[in-house]
Amino acid sequence: MNTTPTISQMIRDHFPDLAILKDRRNDVLFTGRALPAFVKDYIIRKFSDEQGKVDDEAVRNYLDQRMPDAATLRTRLLLEGTVKLTTRFIVKSDLAEGKVAFAIPDAEINRRAYISQTVLKTHAADLKDGEVWGAITLEYMPPKGREDAYIVMTEFQSFKPYKPSIDFLCEARNNFTLEQWVDVLIAAMEYNPDSFDSLEQKMEFISRLLPFVEPRVHLIEFGPKGSGKTYIYSNLSKYVWALGGGKTSRARLFHNFKTGQHGAIMFYDAVAIDEISTFSMSEPDELESIMKGFLEEGSVKLEKINLRSDCGLVLMGNIKLSENREPLSQEYFMVLPKVFRSSALMDRFSGFIEGWKLPRLTSSSILQGWTLNSEYFSTVLHMMRTESVYGQIFDDIVCCQEGADLRDNKAVKRLATAYCKLLFPNMRCTVSELDPQEQENFKALYLKYCLEPAVRRRGIIRQQLYLMDKEFTPDMPEYSIYLAPELPDPIDDFGGDDGEPIDTEAPDLDLGGDDAPIDTETPDLEVGDEGDYVPETPKPELPEGVDDDKFFGAIKS
């Protein structure tokens, strides 16, 4: 049974002012223009009716007028004096001149361009240093005497014709089952939920969103070509920046001492480095030292300045696979360039995404139907990063064996918290505020869809560290959840078409040993009364007759 029309209609029903119709026939309108999804959504919504039908001619006229090439723009500024644009620009505070400057790289405007004080005061929250997209008005100020010509931004409008609300998202979440909500997330990423074979694949796919919602989540994803790695990080959100492979510098990533400008990690929620095998730095020794502090504590200690950032780092690369779509080598980190092939550095990464488990993208993978406006979706994900209640949930219900590695604990908490934000955004209260039965229901869901995936992803990092450096052990500490004993099995394991449960074990790698392979499976997450570890206790699941949609309906009521 095809579910996309149902999810499409549900999105339209429950997000009436925020839904947009994705139609591949509209792509031709943007031919030759490299625009991110949230910009195209803004334009399409501006010129479409309630049924999603787009006025093609109006879109073309808008693009011609608002997005001219560099030469046309300069000519219009000289002849007309005032020009309205929809564009990307870079805000740069100039303390020496006491002004806020901006640059439009695509239009070759890089100097003597300033934002008016009126615009700054009205839109201070949107016009911070860094990259900004918006609809702007430029006014050309011709030279006077010895004073050179300059450009002033006299109007600014962001791409938000609404005020983003986490509360609204949480209220809407109550109308979807867990599996339906996962499909909503995939549709918001502009992919067709029905192009995936199972919930396990879908969970692997939405894991790319973890750095969008939780600070300092550092991921590694290796997989085959054509699995959509680059698109998510380069098109979905203005709060995330994708850096191509090749050579880069400390100035581009962290800080430029010549200009006084900060690098990308100070402006974005996440920075993704694509084609990581080709990545290199002009100062490789300096990079490792800087990266250790950044990945560990979010601190960047440079020669003359100390910075702090909650930015997440994602390393993406291709990996060779067998005919069965499994890695030819068990040592995944050999794909990394030398500068990253340090066990001390890689230990600071939170988790690993197995991109080879995802289907290769085809024409049927691209969404056709209603989904959330990209600007709204990406903005709400950005706002979720500062919501602290989800981290408190982890502290309240998760316990770990004594003596567990501190980095393992930090990674598992960040990953589990991020999954909770994505899957259960409507849990904006502590677990103790629920009634006893609701508490146990939620804990069972949290264990299966937040904690177990988090332990598994961190477990892959730990296995790879062991292959790099025998000082590390391949085993993860045991994690459990405080649950009442004898909780019955769930009625729905959300296992996809074949009904199989999600695979929550780390890959079975032969890590060597003198006599026999070491058992590297992530330990079973056992639960017991008051947090005690009880061997062979079945994993807690939902009580008979209760599923996730009824549970969240109870919270809503």
Side-chain angles (χ1 to χ4, degrees):
M1 177 180 177
N2 191 303
T3 62
T4 300
T6 301
I7 291 299
S8 177
Q9 188 58 50
M10 290 181 70
I11 291 173
R12 189 180 183 190
D13 290 343
H14 297 295
F15 297 92
D17 298 323
L18 301 169
I20 186 170
L21 181 64
K22 294 289 183 177
D23 188 336
R24 275 173 287 191
R25 292 173 296 184
N26 294 331
D27 291 345
V28 69
L29 297 172
F30 301 99
T31 300
R33 301 177 187 271
L35 300 178
F38 61 87
V39 176
K40 290 189 284 188
D41 282 0
Y42 169 82
I43 297 171
I44 289 295
R45 185 171 178 82
K46 186 178 182 68
F47 297 105
S48 60
D49 60 23
E50 292 182 356
Q51 303 305 315
K53 181 175 175 55
V54 178
D55 185 335
D56 292 0
E57 184 176 356
V59 171
R60 292 190 185 97
N61 290 337
Y62 182 88
L63 292 172
D64 290 341
Q65 290 295 313
R66 293 296 189 97
M67 295 184 170
D69 58 52
T72 301
L73 174 59
R74 289 195 297 271
T75 299
R76 287 177 57 188
L77 280 170
L78 287 170
L79 296 178
E80 302 171 18
T82 300
V83 177
K84 293 181 179 294
L85 298 176
T86 296
T87 188
R88 174 180 71 99
F89 58 94
I90 311 297
V91 178
K92 301 184 293 184
S93 298
D94 190 334
L95 297 179
E97 293 195 25
K99 299 177 181 179
V100 176
F102 70 95
I104 307 178
D106 298 335
E108 300 176 10
I109 296 175
N110 296 305
R111 57 186 297 272
R112 295 195 62 76
Y114 306 99
I115 303 174
S116 73
Q117 289 296 314
T118 300
V119 171
L120 280 174
K121 290 177 181 178
T122 306
H123 302 283
D126 294 315
L127 295 174
K128 298 176 181 178
D129 280 17
E131 181 179 288
V132 180
W133 275 90
I136 63 176
T137 299
L138 301 183
E139 185 173 346
Y140 175 68
M141 312 301 290
K144 290 183 179 180
R146 295 183 179 180
E147 184 179 4
D148 292 339
Y150 60 97
I151 296 171
V152 178
M153 184 188 299
T154 58
E155 293 180 356
F156 168 81
Q157 181 183 350
S158 71
F159 289 146
K160 293 179 284 192
Y162 44 77
K163 184 177 181 180
S165 169
I166 295 178
D167 291 335
F168 182 79
L169 181 81
C170 296
E171 183 68 19
R173 168 63 179 92
N174 289 323
N175 297 292
F176 297 85
T177 66
L178 177 62
E179 191 162 9
Q180 288 172 339
W181 186 250
V182 170
D183 286 353
V184 170
L185 295 176
I186 291 175
M189 298 166 77
E190 301 194 348
Y191 288 89
N192 176 12
D194 289 321
S195 64
F196 296 84
D197 296 330
S198 64
L199 183 58
E200 179 184 355
Q201 276 192 343
K202 293 177 180 180
M203 288 288 289
E204 200 76 29
F205 189 72
I206 67 170
S207 296
R208 291 171 173 169
L209 296 178
L210 297 176
F212 289 57
V213 295
E214 179 68 8
R216 292 167 55 199
V217 168
H218 309 303
L219 297 178
I220 302 170
E221 178 178 355
F222 294 153
K225 299 175 182 177
S227 58
K229 295 187 297 294
T230 305
Y231 183 84
I232 297 300
Y233 295 104
S234 61
N235 286 276
L236 187 62
S237 173
K238 65 185 178 185
Y239 301 101
V240 176
W241 185 57
L243 170 66
K247 193 170 186 177
T248 191
S249 64
R250 181 251 308 132
R252 193 177 185 192
L253 283 176
F254 297 103
H255 185 79
N256 188 326
F257 284 114
K258 291 183 178 179
T259 65
Q261 296 296 310
H262 294 324
I265 64 107
M266 296 300 295
F267 298 127
Y268 295 96
D269 292 346
V271 169
I273 303 178
D274 199 8
E275 302 291 345
I276 189 61
S277 61
T278 67
F279 177 83
S280 64
M281 284 282 289
S282 53
E283 313 91 351
D285 294 335
E286 183 185 23
L287 173 67
E288 182 174 349
S289 175
I290 295 173
M291 278 290 184
K292 284 181 179 178
F294 166 63
L295 295 172
E296 182 77 22
E297 302 174 346
S299 64
V300 180
K301 297 181 180 180
L302 303 175
E303 180 182 351
K304 303 175 183 178
I305 188 172
N306 291 335
L307 306 173
R308 291 200 62 83
S309 170
D310 286 330
C311 179
L313 183 66
V314 182
L315 307 184
M316 301 184 295
N318 298 322
I319 193 169
K320 293 182 179 180
L321 303 179
S322 67
E323 293 181 357
N324 297 324
R325 289 181 63 84
E326 292 293 335
L328 290 176
S329 171
Q330 295 180 347
E331 297 185 57
Y332 306 158
F333 287 176
M334 293 303 293
V335 174
L336 295 169
K338 185 178 179 180
V339 69
F340 278 107
R341 222 176 296 160
S342 158
S343 59
L345 184 63
M346 301 314 294
D347 189 22
R348 290 160 165 82
F349 278 84
S350 311
F352 189 95
I353 296 176
E354 298 168 292
W356 55 86
K357 290 190 173 183
L358 297 173
R360 184 174 178 83
L361 298 180
T362 65
S363 58
S364 62
S365 304
I366 307 304
L367 180 72
Q368 283 273 94
W370 291 91
T371 186
L372 293 177
N373 181 301
S374 296
E375 172 69 11
Y376 169 77
F377 180 63
S378 62
T379 300
V380 170
L381 296 185
H382 168 73
M383 294 169 66
M384 293 286 285
R385 292 169 66 85
T386 57
E387 294 289 307
S388 61
V389 66
Y390 305 97
Q392 185 62 48
I393 289 172
F394 181 95
D395 292 338
D396 289 345
I397 68 174
V398 176
C399 57
C400 180
Q401 71 181 65
E402 186 176 352
D405 185 89
L406 183 59
R407 287 186 183 140
D408 288 336
N409 285 347
K410 286 182 177 180
V412 169
K413 178 177 179 178
R414 286 174 185 160
L415 294 172
T417 299
Y419 275 119
C420 187
K421 289 178 177 181
L422 287 174
L423 300 175
F424 308 115
N426 47 348
M427 260 300 296
R428 298 186 73 194
C429 63
T430 61
V431 177
S432 61
E433 295 177 60
L434 305 177
D435 68 39
Q437 186 58 59
E438 286 177 339
Q439 289 185 31
E440 303 313 317
N441 291 348
F442 174 72
K443 290 176 184 178
L445 289 167
Y446 189 94
L447 173 65
K448 185 170 185 178
Y449 296 105
C450 301
L451 182 57
E452 286 185 347
V455 173
R456 181 179 183 279
R457 297 204 184 283
R458 174 61 185 178
I460 299 173
I461 296 290
R462 198 164 245 302
Q463 290 174 353
Q464 293 301 311
L465 288 171
Y466 176 76
L467 292 173
M468 294 177 70
D469 184 348
K470 292 303 186 285
E471 181 179 330
F472 291 87
T473 62
D475 302 318
M476 283 290 288
E478 293 183 356
Y479 292 84
S480 63
I481 286 183
Y482 295 101
L483 274 172
E486 300 180 2
L487 194 64
D489 293 339
I491 60 171
D492 189 351
D493 60 17
F494 300 107
D497 295 337
D498 56 5
E500 295 181 358
I502 293 177
D503 177 14
T504 59
E505 294 183 347
D508 187 12
L509 303 182
D510 181 1
L511 300 181
D514 295 334
D515 300 316
I518 296 175
D519 181 9
T520 63
E521 292 186 351
T522 300
D524 290 339
L525 304 179
E526 307 296 354
V527 299
D529 193 16
E530 299 302 319
D532 294 331
Y533 296 94
V534 183
E536 306 301 328
T537 302
K539 294 178 181 178
E541 298 178 333
L542 300 183
E544 184 176 356
V546 176
D547 59 16
D548 69 286
D549 55 325
K550 293 179 182 177
F551 163 60
F552 283 107
I555 290 182
K556 179 182 177 182
S557 61

